[in-house]
Amino acid sequence: MSEKNELGRENLCQAPVGVFDSGVGGLTVAREIMRNLPDEKIVYFGDTARLPYGNKSKDTVIRYSRQIIRFLKTQQVKAIVIACNTASALALEEVEKEFDIPILGVLKPGARVAASVTRNKKVGVIGTESTINSHMYDRFIQAQDPEISVYGKACPLFVSLVEEGWLKDPVTEEVARRYLDELMRQGIDSLILGCTHYPLLRSLVQKIVGEKVTLVNPAYETAKELERLLEREGMQNHAGKADPAEGYRFFVSDAADKFKNFANSILPYDIETTRKINIEEY
Amino acid sequence: MSEKNELGRENLCQAPVGVFDSGVGGLTVAREIMRNLPDEKIVYFGDTARLPYGNKSKDTVIRYSRQIIRFLKTQQVKAIVIACNTASALALEEVEKEFDIPILGVLKPGARVAASVTRNKKVGVIGTESTINSHMYDRFIQAQDPEISVYGKACPLFVSLVEEGWLKDPVTEEVARRYLDELMRQGIDSLILGCTHYPLLRSLVQKIVGEKVTLVNPAYETAKELERLLEREGMQNHAGKADPAEGYRFFVSDAADKFKNFANSILPYDIETTRKINIEEY
C-alpha cells in the first residue's frame, strides 16, 4: 500500500508536523520540537485507548501505527515523528515502506548520540520489553560503530511507577537498582533512556548509575533530526507565528481531560482543547 | 440496539458460555467455572491488544465490551460472563440493555459475599482506578445492606508487579503495605480482591492485613451465580463430556503464544491452540 501525499508544494512548508505516541510520554519529544523548531506547527496524537504498546506484538504495533498515520494524514501533516520507542522499534521500517510521507523514529537519533558519547564502547539501553527484545537499538548503534557492545534491559515497572507519580520514591529506587545492577556490572559508560517515560526518572537513574555514566535522552536529538529533514526536503516553515502556542493541536483516543492535565504539567504552553477521536475507524 | 439470540432452544443447552477479560486475569474466573460446572463448554476471549482496561474511560470500556460481546455471539454462546472487574463496573449496565443474551459480571457476586462475611460492617475493596472510581462495589454492597461502610483503594501498581512475577517480593510487600495501610486504619474486617490479577497476591495481602481480615475473591461466587442463572433459564448442559478439557476454546487480540504459556500455568488443562482475531472488526 502506497499513499500519495496530497499536499501541494506551496502549502507544504506551512503544514504541521505529525507526532504520535501510545500516550502522554511522546509529549517530551513534542516539547523538544517546540523548543528547537518554534515556527513549526504540530498535530499530536496519543493512543490513550490502547496504551501501553511496550508489551504488545510487532503485528499489533504496526497495525496501530498504520491507523495513526492514516489519521495524521487527514490532518495534512508534511512529516511524521514516531515519538514512541516501541513503535519506532517495531513499526518504523514497515510504515516507511507503505506511506509516501517522511517518517522519523526516536531510535536512530538516540543510537547516534550514544555511539558518539561512549568512550569505552559499552552502551546500555533501558526500555519496554518489546523495544529491548527487538534489538533495534543494538542494530542502529552497531551500524554507527560495530565495535560497540550494547547491553539491553527491559524495565516494565518504570512506566507504572512514573504514572503513579513515585518519581523519587524509595520503592522506585529499589526497583531501579535491581534493573540497573546488571547493566552496571557490564561496565557501561552511557545509558539510553529508551522509553519516553524514563526522562522523568532521570535524576533517580543518574543517582544510581553515578555521574560517570552519561544518560542519553533521544528526544532532543530527534528534534534536531527533524530539523535536518525539513531543511533537506525544503519543507521548513519560515512564515513565523503571531503566538508561540499557535498551531499546536492535540488528539487522543481516550479520556481527553486526563491527557490535558498531564500535558499542561509538562508543556511550556497550556493546551486549550484536546479532541478525542475513534482511532479504530482509520 | 437490541440483538436477537439466534440459537434454537434445542441447541441452547449444549452451547458454550462466553467469558471475557482485558487479558489473562479472567482465566482465574474461567478456572472456577471449569471446576464447578465441568459439563459446560467455554469460549474465552482476552483483549490482549488493548489491555489494561483499568485506566481507561467508561466510554472506551463500553465500546470494547460491545465488540467482544458481538464476537462471542458469532461463537454461538448461550450466556456471557464479564470476568473483568473494570468492564463489569463500567460496561455491564449498558451492555445488558443492548444485548438479548444473559450477561453476568463479577461485582455483584463479590459484593454479596462481602456483605455476608463482614461482622463489623466495614468492607474494603481494592481494584483498578476505573473500578474504584466507579463506586459500583459500594453500590452493590449497600444494596445488600445499607449500613455497611465501603472503603475503596485503587492499587495501580499491583497488575504490573504480578506481570513482572514479583509475587512474594519485598518491593511488592512495601507497595502493598502502602496501599493497604489506609484501609486497615478504617478497621475493615473483610477485603474484596476486586481485580482478577489480585488473587495471585493473596498470600502477601493476607500477611499484611492479618488473619482477622477475610479476603473475598469474586471468581468462585461468580461461577456459582452462573450455575444459578443457567438453571433458572433451563440452559444447563447435561450432555456430559468425553474429555474434561473438551469444548474449551481460547481467543485473544494479540500475541497468542504468550497468552497460551500463561494460561497453561494457571489452568488445570493444557491449551492446545489459541487463536488471534482482530477485535476491532466486530
Side-chain angles (χ1 to χ4, degrees), chain B residues 180-220:
Chain B
L180 295 168
D181 189 42
E182 194 181 313
L183 297 180
M184 293 311 292
R185 280 201 310 266
Q186 302 293 344
I188 57 163
D189 73 350
S190 54
L191 177 63
I192 297 177
L193 305 175
C195 171
T196 50
H197 276 76
Y198 297 177
L200 299 167
L201 297 174
R202 172 186 272 278
S203 63
L204 188 139
V205 169
Q206 189 81 69
K207 180 178 160 190
I208 291 169
V209 299
E211 292 300 327
K212 284 182 189 157
V213 174
T214 307
L215 299 187
V216 176
N217 173 4
Y220 171 76

mmCIF file of all heavy atoms in Angstrom, chain B residues 180-220:
data_model
loop_
_atom_site.group_PDB
_atom_site.id
_atom_site.type_symbol
_atom_site.label_atom_id
_atom_site.label_comp_id
_atom_site.label_asym_id
_atom_site.label_seq_id
_atom_site.Cartn_x
_atom_site.Cartn_y
_atom_site.Cartn_z
ATOM 1 N N LEU B 180 -2.474 -0.631 51.468
ATOM 2 C CA LEU B 180 -3.468 -1.223 52.365
ATOM 3 C C LEU B 180 -3.554 -0.522 53.709
ATOM 4 O O LEU B 180 -4.553 -0.653 54.428
ATOM 5 C CB LEU B 180 -3.150 -2.715 52.573
ATOM 6 C CG LEU B 180 -3.273 -3.562 51.291
ATOM 7 C CD1 LEU B 180 -2.678 -4.945 51.502
ATOM 8 C CD2 LEU B 180 -4.731 -3.670 50.844
ATOM 9 N N ASP B 181 -2.517 0.239 54.039
ATOM 10 C CA ASP B 181 -2.433 0.919 55.320
ATOM 11 C C ASP B 181 -3.688 1.745 55.610
ATOM 12 O O ASP B 181 -4.279 1.670 56.699
ATOM 13 C CB ASP B 181 -1.185 1.823 55.292
ATOM 14 C CG ASP B 181 -0.904 2.401 56.649
ATOM 15 O OD1 ASP B 181 -1.017 1.643 57.627
ATOM 16 O OD2 ASP B 181 -0.595 3.607 56.740
ATOM 17 N N GLU B 182 -4.105 2.499 54.598
ATOM 18 C CA GLU B 182 -5.273 3.371 54.718
ATOM 19 C C GLU B 182 -6.542 2.570 55.043
ATOM 20 O O GLU B 182 -7.333 2.961 55.910
ATOM 21 C CB GLU B 182 -5.424 4.058 53.358
ATOM 22 C CG GLU B 182 -6.331 5.240 53.300
ATOM 23 C CD GLU B 182 -6.369 5.759 51.849
ATOM 24 O OE1 GLU B 182 -5.283 5.917 51.221
ATOM 25 O OE2 GLU B 182 -7.481 5.953 51.341
ATOM 26 N N LEU B 183 -6.690 1.427 54.358
ATOM 27 C CA LEU B 183 -7.874 0.593 54.604
ATOM 28 C C LEU B 183 -7.834 -0.014 56.002
ATOM 29 O O LEU B 183 -8.858 -0.096 56.686
ATOM 30 C CB LEU B 183 -7.966 -0.529 53.564
ATOM 31 C CG LEU B 183 -8.147 -0.113 52.102
ATOM 32 C CD1 LEU B 183 -8.219 -1.344 51.208
ATOM 33 C CD2 LEU B 183 -9.415 0.725 51.934
ATOM 34 N N MET B 184 -6.630 -0.427 56.425
ATOM 35 C CA MET B 184 -6.507 -1.048 57.739
ATOM 36 C C MET B 184 -6.840 -0.043 58.842
ATOM 37 O O MET B 184 -7.436 -0.398 59.856
ATOM 38 C CB MET B 184 -5.099 -1.616 57.938
ATOM 39 C CG MET B 184 -4.756 -2.784 57.030
ATOM 40 S SD MET B 184 -6.037 -4.072 57.008
ATOM 41 C CE MET B 184 -5.878 -4.679 58.690
ATOM 42 N N ARG B 185 -6.463 1.217 58.630
ATOM 43 C CA ARG B 185 -6.774 2.246 59.639
ATOM 44 C C ARG B 185 -8.279 2.467 59.789
ATOM 45 O O ARG B 185 -8.748 2.957 60.809
ATOM 46 C CB ARG B 185 -6.078 3.561 59.284
ATOM 47 C CG ARG B 185 -4.597 3.575 59.674
ATOM 48 C CD ARG B 185 -4.072 5.004 59.795
ATOM 49 N NE ARG B 185 -4.412 5.790 58.611
ATOM 50 C CZ ARG B 185 -3.608 5.957 57.558
ATOM 51 N NH1 ARG B 185 -2.409 5.417 57.536
ATOM 52 N NH2 ARG B 185 -3.996 6.663 56.533
ATOM 53 N N GLN B 186 -9.044 2.092 58.741
ATOM 54 C CA GLN B 186 -10.503 2.200 58.823
ATOM 55 C C GLN B 186 -11.108 1.034 59.609
ATOM 56 O O GLN B 186 -12.317 1.021 59.854
ATOM 57 C CB GLN B 186 -11.125 2.215 57.413
ATOM 58 C CG GLN B 186 -10.631 3.329 56.504
ATOM 59 C CD GLN B 186 -11.068 4.708 56.976
ATOM 60 O OE1 GLN B 186 -11.973 4.839 57.801
ATOM 61 N NE2 GLN B 186 -10.418 5.746 56.468
ATOM 62 N N GLY B 187 -10.283 0.028 59.899
ATOM 63 C CA GLY B 187 -10.795 -1.102 60.690
ATOM 64 C C GLY B 187 -11.626 -2.105 59.903
ATOM 65 O O GLY B 187 -12.516 -2.759 60.475
ATOM 66 N N ILE B 188 -11.362 -2.265 58.620
ATOM 67 C CA ILE B 188 -12.133 -3.244 57.833
ATOM 68 C C ILE B 188 -11.906 -4.665 58.375
ATOM 69 O O ILE B 188 -10.836 -4.965 58.903
ATOM 70 C CB ILE B 188 -11.728 -3.224 56.334
ATOM 71 C CG1 ILE B 188 -10.212 -3.500 56.150
ATOM 72 C CG2 ILE B 188 -12.100 -1.890 55.699
ATOM 73 C CD1 ILE B 188 -9.799 -3.903 54.758
ATOM 74 N N ASP B 189 -12.956 -5.504 58.217
ATOM 75 C CA ASP B 189 -12.784 -6.909 58.608
ATOM 76 C C ASP B 189 -12.925 -7.849 57.409
ATOM 77 O O ASP B 189 -12.869 -9.066 57.561
ATOM 78 C CB ASP B 189 -13.751 -7.300 59.727
ATOM 79 C CG ASP B 189 -15.188 -7.435 59.246
ATOM 80 O OD1 ASP B 189 -15.493 -7.047 58.085
ATOM 81 O OD2 ASP B 189 -16.029 -7.920 60.037
ATOM 82 N N SER B 190 -13.149 -7.271 56.210
ATOM 83 C CA SER B 190 -13.169 -8.099 55.003
ATOM 84 C C SER B 190 -12.708 -7.227 53.841
ATOM 85 O O SER B 190 -12.851 -6.005 53.869
ATOM 86 C CB SER B 190 -14.565 -8.675 54.754
ATOM 87 O OG SER B 190 -15.509 -7.638 54.737
ATOM 88 N N LEU B 191 -12.100 -7.896 52.842
ATOM 89 C CA LEU B 191 -11.464 -7.152 51.763
ATOM 90 C C LEU B 191 -11.704 -7.877 50.438
ATOM 91 O O LEU B 191 -11.316 -9.043 50.277
ATOM 92 C CB LEU B 191 -9.947 -7.051 52.035
ATOM 93 C CG LEU B 191 -9.086 -6.368 50.963
ATOM 94 C CD1 LEU B 191 -9.477 -4.899 50.797
ATOM 95 C CD2 LEU B 191 -7.597 -6.475 51.317
ATOM 96 N N ILE B 192 -12.352 -7.163 49.512
ATOM 97 C CA ILE B 192 -12.610 -7.753 48.193
ATOM 98 C C ILE B 192 -11.378 -7.567 47.309
ATOM 99 O O ILE B 192 -10.871 -6.450 47.149
ATOM 100 C CB ILE B 192 -13.826 -7.082 47.518
ATOM 101 C CG1 ILE B 192 -15.094 -7.331 48.331
ATOM 102 C CG2 ILE B 192 -14.001 -7.594 46.080
ATOM 103 C CD1 ILE B 192 -16.334 -6.648 47.779
ATOM 104 N N LEU B 193 -10.889 -8.666 46.712
ATOM 105 C CA LEU B 193 -9.796 -8.607 45.743
ATOM 106 C C LEU B 193 -10.447 -8.278 44.396
ATOM 107 O O LEU B 193 -10.771 -9.160 43.600
ATOM 108 C CB LEU B 193 -9.058 -9.935 45.696
ATOM 109 C CG LEU B 193 -8.517 -10.447 47.038
ATOM 110 C CD1 LEU B 193 -7.902 -11.834 46.892
ATOM 111 C CD2 LEU B 193 -7.473 -9.474 47.594
ATOM 112 N N GLY B 194 -10.658 -6.970 44.150
ATOM 113 C CA GLY B 194 -11.512 -6.526 43.063
ATOM 114 C C GLY B 194 -10.825 -6.365 41.714
ATOM 115 O O GLY B 194 -11.112 -5.418 40.979
ATOM 116 N N CYS B 195 -9.908 -7.247 41.394
ATOM 117 C CA CYS B 195 -9.245 -7.258 40.090
ATOM 118 C C CYS B 195 -8.765 -8.692 39.903
ATOM 119 O O CYS B 195 -8.244 -9.287 40.854
ATOM 120 C CB CYS B 195 -8.075 -6.272 40.078
ATOM 121 S SG CYS B 195 -7.036 -6.404 38.598
ATOM 122 N N THR B 196 -8.943 -9.235 38.712
ATOM 123 C CA THR B 196 -8.655 -10.669 38.519
ATOM 124 C C THR B 196 -7.181 -11.016 38.684
ATOM 125 O O THR B 196 -6.832 -12.183 38.813
ATOM 126 C CB THR B 196 -9.129 -11.153 37.143
ATOM 127 O OG1 THR B 196 -8.633 -10.262 36.161
ATOM 128 C CG2 THR B 196 -10.639 -11.217 37.080
ATOM 129 N N HIS B 197 -6.287 -10.015 38.691
ATOM 130 C CA HIS B 197 -4.875 -10.297 38.947
ATOM 131 C C HIS B 197 -4.580 -10.488 40.438
ATOM 132 O O HIS B 197 -3.591 -11.106 40.803
ATOM 133 C CB HIS B 197 -3.992 -9.126 38.471
ATOM 134 C CG HIS B 197 -3.656 -9.160 37.018
ATOM 135 N ND1 HIS B 197 -4.545 -8.811 36.044
ATOM 136 C CD2 HIS B 197 -2.517 -9.487 36.370
ATOM 137 C CE1 HIS B 197 -3.954 -8.928 34.853
ATOM 138 N NE2 HIS B 197 -2.721 -9.334 35.030
ATOM 139 N N TYR B 198 -5.412 -9.906 41.290
ATOM 140 C CA TYR B 198 -5.049 -9.826 42.702
ATOM 141 C C TYR B 198 -5.040 -11.158 43.441
ATOM 142 O O TYR B 198 -4.267 -11.305 44.409
ATOM 143 C CB TYR B 198 -5.932 -8.816 43.442
ATOM 144 C CG TYR B 198 -5.818 -7.380 42.979
ATOM 145 C CD1 TYR B 198 -6.623 -6.389 43.533
ATOM 146 C CD2 TYR B 198 -4.918 -6.993 41.981
ATOM 147 C CE1 TYR B 198 -6.541 -5.074 43.124
ATOM 148 C CE2 TYR B 198 -4.841 -5.668 41.553
ATOM 149 C CZ TYR B 198 -5.660 -4.715 42.127
ATOM 150 O OH TYR B 198 -5.593 -3.411 41.724
ATOM 151 N N PRO B 199 -5.886 -12.139 43.060
ATOM 152 C CA PRO B 199 -5.782 -13.426 43.758
ATOM 153 C C PRO B 199 -4.364 -13.997 43.732
ATOM 154 O O PRO B 199 -3.974 -14.734 44.633
ATOM 155 C CB PRO B 199 -6.766 -14.323 42.992
ATOM 156 C CG PRO B 199 -7.813 -13.373 42.509
ATOM 157 C CD PRO B 199 -7.052 -12.118 42.149
ATOM 158 N N LEU B 200 -3.558 -13.615 42.747
ATOM 159 C CA LEU B 200 -2.176 -14.088 42.701
ATOM 160 C C LEU B 200 -1.324 -13.444 43.804
ATOM 161 O O LEU B 200 -0.230 -13.923 44.105
ATOM 162 C CB LEU B 200 -1.573 -13.834 41.315
ATOM 163 C CG LEU B 200 -2.306 -14.563 40.170
ATOM 164 C CD1 LEU B 200 -1.880 -14.038 38.810
ATOM 165 C CD2 LEU B 200 -2.059 -16.062 40.248
ATOM 166 N N LEU B 201 -1.812 -12.365 44.407
ATOM 167 C CA LEU B 201 -1.120 -11.722 45.533
ATOM 168 C C LEU B 201 -1.775 -12.072 46.873
ATOM 169 O O LEU B 201 -1.471 -11.460 47.902
ATOM 170 C CB LEU B 201 -1.126 -10.193 45.366
ATOM 171 C CG LEU B 201 -0.382 -9.623 44.155
ATOM 172 C CD1 LEU B 201 -0.608 -8.113 44.071
ATOM 173 C CD2 LEU B 201 1.116 -9.924 44.248
ATOM 174 N N ARG B 202 -2.679 -13.041 46.827
ATOM 175 C CA ARG B 202 -3.473 -13.363 48.023
ATOM 176 C C ARG B 202 -2.637 -13.579 49.276
ATOM 177 O O ARG B 202 -2.882 -12.968 50.319
ATOM 178 C CB ARG B 202 -4.328 -14.604 47.750
ATOM 179 C CG ARG B 202 -5.039 -15.143 48.960
ATOM 180 C CD ARG B 202 -5.749 -16.454 48.643
ATOM 181 N NE ARG B 202 -7.097 -16.225 48.136
ATOM 182 C CZ ARG B 202 -8.158 -15.989 48.914
ATOM 183 N NH1 ARG B 202 -8.027 -15.934 50.230
ATOM 184 N NH2 ARG B 202 -9.350 -15.803 48.403
ATOM 185 N N SER B 203 -1.574 -14.403 49.199
ATOM 186 C CA SER B 203 -0.856 -14.733 50.433
ATOM 187 C C SER B 203 -0.109 -13.512 50.968
ATOM 188 O O SER B 203 -0.045 -13.288 52.176
ATOM 189 C CB SER B 203 0.074 -15.929 50.239
ATOM 190 O OG SER B 203 1.066 -15.623 49.293
ATOM 191 N N LEU B 204 0.420 -12.702 50.065
ATOM 192 C CA LEU B 204 1.111 -11.492 50.500
ATOM 193 C C LEU B 204 0.122 -10.496 51.148
ATOM 194 O O LEU B 204 0.404 -9.907 52.202
ATOM 195 C CB LEU B 204 1.815 -10.860 49.287
ATOM 196 C CG LEU B 204 2.742 -9.695 49.548
ATOM 197 C CD1 LEU B 204 3.991 -9.832 48.666
ATOM 198 C CD2 LEU B 204 2.058 -8.382 49.221
ATOM 199 N N VAL B 205 -1.035 -10.339 50.531
ATOM 200 C CA VAL B 205 -2.047 -9.426 51.080
ATOM 201 C C VAL B 205 -2.537 -9.940 52.432
ATOM 202 O O VAL B 205 -2.670 -9.171 53.390
ATOM 203 C CB VAL B 205 -3.225 -9.250 50.085
ATOM 204 C CG1 VAL B 205 -4.401 -8.525 50.742
ATOM 205 C CG2 VAL B 205 -2.768 -8.483 48.839
ATOM 206 N N GLN B 206 -2.757 -11.244 52.530
ATOM 207 C CA GLN B 206 -3.230 -11.816 53.805
ATOM 208 C C GLN B 206 -2.215 -11.562 54.918
ATOM 209 O O GLN B 206 -2.580 -11.229 56.047
ATOM 210 C CB GLN B 206 -3.473 -13.317 53.641
ATOM 211 C CG GLN B 206 -4.159 -13.944 54.845
ATOM 212 C CD GLN B 206 -5.677 -13.725 54.836
ATOM 213 O OE1 GLN B 206 -6.369 -14.266 54.014
ATOM 214 N NE2 GLN B 206 -6.174 -12.928 55.755
ATOM 215 N N LYS B 207 -0.922 -11.697 54.569
ATOM 216 C CA LYS B 207 0.141 -11.463 55.543
ATOM 217 C C LYS B 207 0.081 -10.019 56.071
ATOM 218 O O LYS B 207 0.250 -9.775 57.270
ATOM 219 C CB LYS B 207 1.488 -11.713 54.855
ATOM 220 C CG LYS B 207 2.708 -11.507 55.712
ATOM 221 C CD LYS B 207 3.976 -11.833 54.928
ATOM 222 C CE LYS B 207 5.208 -11.180 55.552
ATOM 223 N NZ LYS B 207 6.392 -11.284 54.676
ATOM 224 N N ILE B 208 -0.203 -9.087 55.192
ATOM 225 C CA ILE B 208 -0.211 -7.678 55.594
ATOM 226 C C ILE B 208 -1.462 -7.314 56.389
ATOM 227 O O ILE B 208 -1.386 -6.620 57.402
ATOM 228 C CB ILE B 208 -0.061 -6.762 54.358
ATOM 229 C CG1 ILE B 208 1.350 -6.929 53.803
ATOM 230 C CG2 ILE B 208 -0.357 -5.302 54.699
ATOM 231 C CD1 ILE B 208 1.567 -6.301 52.458
ATOM 232 N N VAL B 209 -2.631 -7.784 55.930
ATOM 233 C CA VAL B 209 -3.859 -7.395 56.632
ATOM 234 C C VAL B 209 -4.116 -8.263 57.866
ATOM 235 O O VAL B 209 -4.919 -7.891 58.728
ATOM 236 C CB VAL B 209 -5.102 -7.422 55.702
ATOM 237 C CG1 VAL B 209 -4.920 -6.431 54.558
ATOM 238 C CG2 VAL B 209 -5.391 -8.817 55.172
ATOM 239 N N GLY B 210 -3.437 -9.405 57.941
ATOM 240 C CA GLY B 210 -3.616 -10.267 59.124
ATOM 241 C C GLY B 210 -4.756 -11.257 58.933
ATOM 242 O O GLY B 210 -5.635 -11.056 58.092
ATOM 243 N N GLU B 211 -4.735 -12.304 59.762
ATOM 244 C CA GLU B 211 -5.707 -13.389 59.593
ATOM 245 C C GLU B 211 -7.138 -12.982 59.953
ATOM 246 O O GLU B 211 -8.093 -13.662 59.597
ATOM 247 C CB GLU B 211 -5.282 -14.600 60.446
ATOM 248 C CG GLU B 211 -4.005 -15.290 59.965
ATOM 249 C CD GLU B 211 -4.114 -15.821 58.531
ATOM 250 O OE1 GLU B 211 -5.215 -16.246 58.120
ATOM 251 O OE2 GLU B 211 -3.086 -15.792 57.813
ATOM 252 N N LYS B 212 -7.288 -11.867 60.684
ATOM 253 C CA LYS B 212 -8.647 -11.478 61.096
ATOM 254 C C LYS B 212 -9.461 -10.840 59.967
ATOM 255 O O LYS B 212 -10.666 -10.662 60.078
ATOM 256 C CB LYS B 212 -8.578 -10.517 62.285
ATOM 257 C CG LYS B 212 -8.254 -11.249 63.581
ATOM 258 C CD LYS B 212 -8.232 -10.311 64.768
ATOM 259 C CE LYS B 212 -7.700 -11.040 65.996
ATOM 260 N NZ LYS B 212 -7.164 -10.082 66.979
ATOM 261 N N VAL B 213 -8.773 -10.469 58.894
ATOM 262 C CA VAL B 213 -9.492 -9.885 57.757
ATOM 263 C C VAL B 213 -9.765 -10.990 56.724
ATOM 264 O O VAL B 213 -8.848 -11.693 56.306
ATOM 265 C CB VAL B 213 -8.698 -8.731 57.122
ATOM 266 C CG1 VAL B 213 -9.384 -8.229 55.848
ATOM 267 C CG2 VAL B 213 -8.523 -7.585 58.122
ATOM 268 N N THR B 214 -11.022 -11.137 56.343
ATOM 269 C CA THR B 214 -11.406 -12.169 55.371
ATOM 270 C C THR B 214 -11.230 -11.628 53.947
ATOM 271 O O THR B 214 -11.781 -10.580 53.604
ATOM 272 C CB THR B 214 -12.893 -12.556 55.567
ATOM 273 O OG1 THR B 214 -13.091 -12.897 56.928
ATOM 274 C CG2 THR B 214 -13.276 -13.721 54.665
ATOM 275 N N LEU B 215 -10.462 -12.348 53.145
ATOM 276 C CA LEU B 215 -10.282 -11.937 51.746
ATOM 277 C C LEU B 215 -11.386 -12.553 50.887
ATOM 278 O O LEU B 215 -11.681 -13.743 51.002
ATOM 279 C CB LEU B 215 -8.915 -12.384 51.224
ATOM 280 C CG LEU B 215 -7.700 -11.822 51.959
ATOM 281 C CD1 LEU B 215 -6.412 -12.208 51.230
ATOM 282 C CD2 LEU B 215 -7.779 -10.306 52.102
ATOM 283 N N VAL B 216 -11.969 -11.740 50.040
ATOM 284 C CA VAL B 216 -13.060 -12.205 49.174
ATOM 285 C C VAL B 216 -12.595 -12.190 47.725
ATOM 286 O O VAL B 216 -12.205 -11.147 47.198
ATOM 287 C CB VAL B 216 -14.307 -11.294 49.322
ATOM 288 C CG1 VAL B 216 -15.391 -11.722 48.342
ATOM 289 C CG2 VAL B 216 -14.814 -11.305 50.759
ATOM 290 N N ASN B 217 -12.610 -13.361 47.076
ATOM 291 C CA ASN B 217 -12.268 -13.476 45.660
ATOM 292 C C ASN B 217 -13.553 -13.753 44.893
ATOM 293 O O ASN B 217 -14.131 -14.829 45.027
ATOM 294 C CB ASN B 217 -11.263 -14.622 45.481
ATOM 295 C CG ASN B 217 -10.994 -14.922 44.020
ATOM 296 O OD1 ASN B 217 -11.485 -14.233 43.132
ATOM 297 N ND2 ASN B 217 -10.217 -15.964 43.776
ATOM 298 N N PRO B 218 -14.026 -12.790 44.098
ATOM 299 C CA PRO B 218 -15.334 -12.953 43.454
ATOM 300 C C PRO B 218 -15.418 -14.101 42.446
ATOM 301 O O PRO B 218 -16.514 -14.472 42.034
ATOM 302 C CB PRO B 218 -15.533 -11.604 42.724
ATOM 303 C CG PRO B 218 -14.634 -10.639 43.432
ATOM 304 C CD PRO B 218 -13.450 -11.462 43.871
ATOM 305 N N ALA B 219 -14.283 -14.717 42.065
ATOM 306 C CA ALA B 219 -14.313 -15.713 40.986
ATOM 307 C C ALA B 219 -15.202 -16.917 41.317
ATOM 308 O O ALA B 219 -16.044 -17.320 40.516
ATOM 309 C CB ALA B 219 -12.888 -16.184 40.677
ATOM 310 N N TYR B 220 -15.023 -17.474 42.525
ATOM 311 C CA TYR B 220 -15.804 -18.662 42.889
ATOM 312 C C TYR B 220 -17.298 -18.355 42.893
ATOM 313 O O TYR B 220 -18.107 -19.062 42.305
ATOM 314 C CB TYR B 220 -15.356 -19.181 44.259
ATOM 315 C CG TYR B 220 -16.249 -20.260 44.818
ATOM 316 C CD1 TYR B 220 -16.186 -21.562 44.324
ATOM 317 C CD2 TYR B 220 -17.179 -19.972 45.818
ATOM 318 C CE1 TYR B 220 -17.025 -22.553 44.821
ATOM 319 C CE2 TYR B 220 -18.023 -20.949 46.322
ATOM 320 C CZ TYR B 220 -17.943 -22.233 45.828
ATOM 321 O OH TYR B 220 -18.781 -23.207 46.315
#
